[in-house]
Amino acid sequence: MNFEFLKTYGQYFINGTMYTIGLSLVSVFFGLVLGIALTLLRRNRIKALGKIGDAYVAVVRGTPLILQLYIVYYGIQNIPMMVAAVLAMSLNSAAYISEIIRAGIEAVDKGQWEAARSLGMSAHQTMHSVVMPQAFKNILPALGNEFVVLIKESAIVSVIGVHDLMYNADTVRGITFKPFEPLIVVGAIYFVLTYSLSKVLQQLEGRLKVSD
């Protein structure tokens, strides 16, 4: 294998990596915000609203991301490619993050709820001051894993022309007539990104266990 093309086209991979990281960061941020809102909707006392939230999570988790991306991109007229990518990935991530948060809340011992309520705290105060801090600590590693997943799944946005890592690799393949080597470079970059982040998350999870 010959990787001499990196001397001329290495910047394509650098730019694509920056796009991929930025896209994943923005998407996981908005996914977290939307996921929290979705969790509150699903826990609403009005059952109809809760069922709407549950239905959204079921539909998003039951359909492929590429389909959701196409629906957003072609369903909303004149939407920029990058906006469509962020919107689709954020909406997708929100469903999974909502499930993560729900599991984290349910993992908090019911005795915590009862103790807080016996002290005269309202349901809102109990959730905000007692349950959520513990739940957030439990779900932090899972949220990090969601970011890892987003980095890998972001490759799908290349199909609508977003100049992410995968798109730029395909561009280099077309220019150099090398169908294989650019894919090896891309695979190595994705591996370094996800492996490094996974190691950081493992260390963070270990520190959280020690603090327990």
Side-chain angles (χ1 to χ4, degrees), residues 20 31 41 56 72 82 89-90 115 122 124 135 151-152 176:
T20 293
L41 179 68
Y56 174 83
V72 171
M82 194 65 174
M89 290 182 62
S90 298
S122 66
H124 175 75
I151 289 177
K152 293 184 291 183
T176 62

Side-chain angles (χ1 to χ4, degrees), residues 132-146:
M132 284 307 295
Q134 297 181 63
F136 182 76
K137 186 176 181 180
N138 292 334
I139 68 176
L140 196 57
L143 290 176
N145 288 332
E146 175 64 15

Side-chain angles (χ1 to χ4, degrees), residues 14 38 48 51 67 82 88 102 143 150 176 182 187 211:
I14 295 173
L38 185 57
K51 289 187 178 298
L67 173 62
M82 194 65 174
R102 180 195 59 79
L143 290 176
L150 273 181
T176 62
S211 66

Side-chain angles (χ1 to χ4, degrees), residues 191-211:
F191 176 76
V192 170
L193 289 176
T194 56
Y195 183 78
S196 301
L197 185 56
S198 296
K199 284 299 181 181
V200 171
L201 292 173
Q202 287 178 7
Q203 293 183 355
L204 177 61
E205 189 173 359
R207 291 181 181 179
L208 291 176
K209 288 181 179 179
V210 170
S211 66

